[in-house]
Structure formats: structure tokens, C-alpha cells
Amino acid sequence: MFGGINASGQHGGRRPPITCIAVHDKTPELRVLYVSSSIREATQYEPSEIVGQPTLPFLASGNADDYRKLAEAQHHNNVVITSILGRPKPGYLLLVRVFHFNCDNIAVNLCVIDPNPIPESTEAEPLRIEVYNPRRDSCADGEPNPGHAEAQGIDSNSSLLGSLYRSSRVMHCARTMTKACLILEGSLTALGDEPAGPKVLFASNSFSRILDVDASDVQGLPFLALVATADTVAAARFLEKMAAPNGQMVLDSLQFLADPTPAVSVDSAGEDRQAQRRVVTVEVLGAGSDDGAIILCQLERPARSRHRVADESDG
């Protein structure tokens, strides 16, 4: 259950949840850099009214300071999850389930919004954080494992918030590994109107440290154009799994082209030149929204390194 809405998104006459994507920087203002168009239906704000503005005024006063501490302190966990009260334009409150992706100098949030109003007099509770460990919290097929949820409360009066994150047994990757973020727009059904799947709307600057391209070079490309031919079907399944409602997260490893920008062509012998191009294995952790998706990427580590970190996370 989320905000009185069941897994199918229906509960009596209540409106089903609406998902959107929001990106903010990590300056003291937590200034909004991007918000997807589905925010309009949930909050009656136009995206243009939000982009460029500080994040905190859009949150209930009782949650704003907690969220600021979360955004400032969350340096090492790939994804944390919390529920927060947001302020839509009409003046009431909305319950928002936030999947907070941490990536370099930006934070990317998948927001699952319950559009059914809550009285503005409702008192915001201290944030409770669920730290998401993809290897522990996913089943073998990459689906979420509901049996594993690590919830931690934030004491808004405590100065130990940073140590809460540093001591969390959650990371499946070394802290020094590069993490990059992709935002996709369009249908996540790869075999629909867009055979190559949704396009890359945004790539964080760190993406250039994963593939041999600048982040700007992959923006506008179909997501499946980044993937080696051998993994196209697996990548299409990855997209389709993310299309499930209510912010389902999916973990997989895919073969990416190290340089996906040259057009794929066939040489004089009739062989696909893509097969001759270098590939890299990338771990992808993604979640879909009503109008796109967020994908956190990092290079897959050698098995020995993975086992060592897994052992550490088991205590």
C-alpha cells in the first residue's frame, strides 16, 4: 500500500498515483534543473514554474529541513527511498514516495505522487529512509525483493546524519567507482511506436567516464542505440520491466558500445560493423515514470571485487 493506493493503483474512487522525474543540483538551494511534464497533472504546476527554483519551498515545512540534510549527506548510497509531503499549487499537501538517485553533483528523483489531497494542517513526520541495495533487494531476475527493506529514521535534531549513511551496509560498489545517470523520455515499450525505444533526454557529465563519448553526444540517441547488438533483447526487457507502475526498480548488466555515436553500417563483406566495435559491461539500475525513466550506470566490476564488497555488506 502507498498513500491508500494498492499495487494496482486503484482504491475505491481515489485517483491512481502519478510518477514524474525531477533533477536538482547540490548547491545549498537544491535548485531544480529539470522536471518531467507529468508533474503538471499531479500538482497543477507547469514545469517552467518549477525549473530554476529552489526545491525546499515545494515541500511541507516539517519535511524541508530533513530533505535538505538527506540531499547534503547522501554521498555513498546509490539509491535511498523516502516518503515526503509536497506542496502542490492549490495549497493542500500530497504524499510523495521519492526514489533518490545519487549521481556526482546532481540528485535525480523518481517521484511517485499520490494525487489525492491531504489537509494542509497535517503534521509532517520525520523522514524515514529505506536504503536500497540492488544486490540484496533484487531477486535473481532483477525484480525487487519486497522481503528486504532497510528502513532508517532520520532524527532531524541530530548532527549524526552523515554517519548514518557512512555506516549503512548498503553499497554494492566501491565508493570510488564512477556513477552516471541517464534520463529517458518516451515509451519504455521498446517494440511500440519507437522500435529503438525511448530516447536519452539527459546524460550526466560523468557518463564520459563510462563510455568513450561526451555526455552531449548520447543525448537524443535512442537508448537501444547505446547497447551492443548481442544485448538488444535483454535491454528491451530491461525497459519493459521498468514500465511497471509505482516506481519499480530493475537491476541488470548490459553490454554497451564504448563509442555508440558512429552510425552502424555494413562493410563490403556484408558484416555488421557494430560487431567489430569495443564493448563494455555496464551495471544499470533503473526505474520508470509515466513519461520516461531514470537509469543509474556504472562499469561492472570484476567478480573478485564484487564478492569482496558483498562480503563486507553482510557484516
Side-chain angles (χ1 to χ4, degrees), residues 7-198:
S8 66
Q10 304 294 331
H11 183 70
R14 296 173 64 84
R15 295 170 60 196
I18 297 167
T19 57
C20 71
I21 295 170
V23 183
H24 65 71
D25 64 20
K26 294 187 179 179
T27 64
E29 295 80 18
L30 305 181
R31 201 164 294 278
V32 179
L33 304 176
Y34 167 80
V35 64
S36 60
S37 59
S38 54
I39 193 72
R40 183 186 303 111
E41 181 182 358
T43 69
Q44 299 184 33
Y45 278 110
E46 292 293 330
S48 59
E49 295 180 271
I50 299 176
V51 173
Q53 301 300 315
T55 296
L56 300 186
F58 296 100
L59 306 180
S61 57
N63 281 159
D65 193 50
D66 279 357
Y67 182 80
R68 177 186 59 79
K69 292 177 181 179
L70 184 155
E72 291 176 350
Q74 203 270 87
H75 296 298
H76 305 309
N77 300 316
N78 278 346
V79 180
V80 296
I81 310 167
T82 192
S83 293
I84 200 165
L85 292 179
R87 290 187 174 278
K89 201 168 190 178
Y92 49 80
L93 301 177
L94 294 177
L95 182 62
V96 184
R97 182 82 159 153
V98 178
F99 295 74
H100 186 79
F101 289 69
N102 185 42
C103 181
D104 285 354
N105 62 342
I106 61 171
V108 183
N109 290 334
L110 177 74
C111 303
V112 184
I113 304 172
D114 180 347
N116 301 284
I118 297 173
E120 192 170 13
S121 59
T122 303
E123 184 175 347
E125 298 179 359
L127 295 192
R128 287 191 60 78
I129 303 300
E130 298 170 25
V131 183
Y132 182 78
N133 179 340
R135 296 195 180 281
R136 181 200 63 207
D137 297 344
S138 295
C139 300
D141 61 357
E143 301 287 348
N145 183 349
H148 292 283
E150 183 174 325
Q152 304 192 42
I154 288 183
D155 179 354
S156 58
N157 297 316
S158 173
S159 61
L160 300 179
L161 182 60
S163 63
L164 179 151
Y165 286 102
R166 286 191 294 272
S167 64
S168 296
R169 300 183 298 112
V170 297
M171 281 303 291
H172 76 285
C173 65
R175 294 178 180 178
T176 57
M177 291 191 71
T178 297
K179 291 178 287 186
C181 202
L182 296 177
I183 295 179
L184 309 185
E185 65 174 348
S187 171
L188 296 182
T189 304
L191 301 180
D193 296 334
E194 296 288 341

